[in-house]
């Protein structure tokens, strides 16, 4: 995806459609869409180059991975009451079982979040 704010909406839509196509519970769909939104928006605002989204569904977990061209890792911080930004990684941390980041071999970084699948 290009590093444009419209790409965050496309990433959310893609995630919701894929998750529903896979027959996942709405609770997991909603969590995944929120995580994708935050990671994609961070990559667009703070990264560089193209943004890549990968979803991997395994028997017990969904793995969400976003790549961008910046080597700067995301920072989890506490936003002030009047700030309209700065809560993205707190949201990811609250919804994901785990999240991590690292340097991508091809340059830039990846950020991964893992969400447990809801027992059906």
């Amino acid at each position: 995806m290009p590093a444009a704010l419209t790409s965050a909406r496309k990433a959310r839509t893609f995630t919701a459609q894929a998750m529903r196509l896979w027959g996942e519970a709405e609770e997991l769909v909603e969590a995944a869409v929120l995580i994708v939104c935050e990671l994609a928006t961070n990559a667009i605002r703070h990264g560089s180059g193209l943004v890549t989204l990968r979803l991997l569904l395994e028997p017990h977990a969904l793995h969400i991975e976003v790549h961008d061209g910046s080597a700067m890792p995301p920072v989890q911080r506490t936003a002030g009451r009047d700030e309209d930004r700065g809560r993205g990684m707190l949201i990811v941390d609250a919804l994901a079982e785990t999240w991590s980041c690292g340097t991508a071999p091809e340059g830039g970084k990846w950020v991964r979040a893992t969400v447990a699948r809801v027992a059906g």
Side-chain angles (χ1 to χ4, degrees):
M1 302 176 284
L5 286 179
T6 56
S7 293
R9 181 180 53 229
K10 291 177 184 176
R12 289 191 309 267
T13 300
F14 170 81
T15 300
Q17 289 174 342
M19 300 293 295
R20 289 184 178 117
L21 181 66
W22 294 337
E24 292 304 306
E26 198 59 29
E27 182 179 339
L28 182 59
V29 173
E30 290 174 10
V33 166
L34 240 149
I35 291 169
V36 164
C37 179
E38 297 302 334
L39 294 181
T41 300
N42 280 352
I44 291 163
R45 284 195 174 135
H46 306 293
S48 63
L50 293 177
V51 175
T52 304
L53 167 65
R54 293 185 182 135
L55 302 175
L56 174 63
L57 188 63
E58 293 186 333
H60 300 291
L62 168 68
H63 303 280
I64 300 165
E65 186 173 284
V66 174
H67 290 242
D68 68 61
S70 170
M72 293 295 295
V75 176
Q76 186 174 334
R77 69 181 191 90
T78 303
R81 290 183 64 169
D82 296 334
E83 291 181 88
D84 62 353
R85 293 183 185 177
R87 294 173 182 84
M89 294 312 296
L90 287 172
I91 292 169
V92 171
D93 191 59
L95 293 173
E97 299 296 315
T98 62
W99 70 269
S100 60
C101 63
T103 304
E106 65 277 7
K109 71 171 170 303
W110 52 263
V111 182
R112 292 182 190 128
T114 300
V115 184
R117 289 181 71 191
V118 178

